[in-house]
Amino acid sequence: METLSNKRRARKMTLRSLGLALLASACMADTAYAQAVTETYGPLQNAVDVPRPYAIPLPPNANDRPQWEVGTRYWWSEGSTRFDIDSSRLAPNFYGSPTSTLTYDGVTGNSLEFFMSVRNETDTFFKGFVGGGWLNGGSLDDEDYFAGQVKFSDTYSEIDGEGSVYFTMDLGQDIDVGYTGNLVVSPFVGFNFWQESMSAYGARCNRDEVDGIYCGAPGTLALPFSAEVINNKSMWSSVRLGTEITARLLDRLSFRGDAAILPVAYLVNEDSHYYRQDLGPTPNIEHEGAGWGYQLEGEFKIDVTDNWTLGAGVRYWYAETGGVVDFVNARTEVDLEDFRSERLGVIGNVSY
């Protein structure tokens, strides 16, 4: 019995030794792991082995067009401004109808623009541009009439100096009409501001119908071309209703067209006649009226890389109105007839 008891005691001691050995091995392994973690990541408190984070891919955007675009554009153009002043209601037997016709013609413009557009996942977009530059060249023809449209004065002046400022902003919606996004129609509503300021120098007499009584013989220089005689500043504020069309023609070539009607185009025009002392301080004549117009634009664009695009095309702006002419210092109002502004030119741009 004693021998059996000794054998049991020896078996228990063996099992206890084996358990202690396993526990010691586990502790050593845990210590080694903790040391490795500490060497790699620094001291940790209650470190827990967790899976490493990984990026969760976002769902693809519903709109495969660029979500934003920025760029610069150059616009070379030629334009004109023409309007009639009708004072005949003040003295029908003396003033013609129209009484005065002023035509600013062949005025060239050079302007730079910044443009941008942004779109969201619902295909709603905002686009716009702001630009400005300088105007030069061209001429002013100033004609005046007595009753019966007898021309009693006709002068020629040269345009030299001043410039333009304008901006446009539109809000619209892209509509994919088919062909897997290769043809998109985008109706929009927006606003446009367009200002041009032109200075006319000198006054040379043209042929009239009263043998030059008021100005002089044809070719006579009434004022030298170094003298600024008139400055005209026209400012149009217009509502835009239109549609943009984008068509993918080839892998890297596309066409973009933009057509907008201006159902409301409000004009404020200031005339400063520097040698008309009878009209008082400048600006001595102001014009106001609400009319209409339209704006057209089209260009071809080529993707030179995945991000950079070059474009070139044409642009045409037109607006017209009638209204009121205010001789500011005399506090006299007459009729404004057929005020027209237009500008046609070529555009080139680079965008990202």
Side-chain angles (χ1 to χ4, degrees), residues 74-146:
Y74 169 71
W75 184 20
W76 180 93
S77 62
E78 184 172 296
S80 66
T81 296
R82 182 187 185 280
F83 56 90
D84 296 329
I85 299 175
D86 189 352
S87 303
S88 60
R89 61 186 174 91
L90 299 179
N93 296 325
F94 183 78
Y95 295 119
S97 177
T99 311
S100 298
T101 298
L102 287 86
T103 304
Y104 297 82
D105 196 22
V107 182
T108 59
N110 295 270
S111 59
L112 295 175
E113 304 172 15
F114 168 80
F115 65 90
M116 56 83 67
S117 67
V118 291
R119 288 174 166 82
N120 63 17
E121 62 277 3
T122 66
D123 294 343
T124 301
F125 67 85
F126 172 85
K127 64 184 178 74
F129 58 85
V130 57
W134 58 98
L135 301 175
N136 52 36
S139 63
L140 165 64
D141 191 17
D142 188 351
E143 304 167 277
D144 299 303
Y145 298 90
F146 286 137

Side-chain angles (χ1 to χ4, degrees), residues 72-74 299-302 309-313 347-351:
T72 58
R73 179 183 293 124
Y74 169 71
E299 66 173 343
F300 290 96
K301 304 177 69 175
I302 184 168
T309 299
L310 297 177
I347 55 176
N349 60 69
V350 56
S351 64

Side-chain angles (χ1 to χ4, degrees), residues 73 75 125-129 166-172 186-194 236-245 256-266 291-298 315-319:
R73 179 183 293 124
W75 184 20
F125 67 85
F126 172 85
K127 64 184 178 74
F129 58 85
Y166 52 88
F167 70 87
T168 292
M169 50 186 180
D170 299 320
L171 180 66
S186 309
F188 62 79
V189 59
F191 175 82
N192 173 260
F193 176 80
W194 173 23
W236 293 93
S237 300
S238 307
V239 175
R240 282 166 47 93
L241 297 176
T243 299
E244 181 182 82
I245 296 177
R256 183 191 66 84
D258 185 312
I261 188 75
L262 311 180
V264 179
Y266 183 74
W292 71 283
Y294 55 91
Q295 296 178 335
L296 306 174
E297 185 171 308
R315 174 189 286 169
Y316 178 68
W317 287 0
Y318 175 87

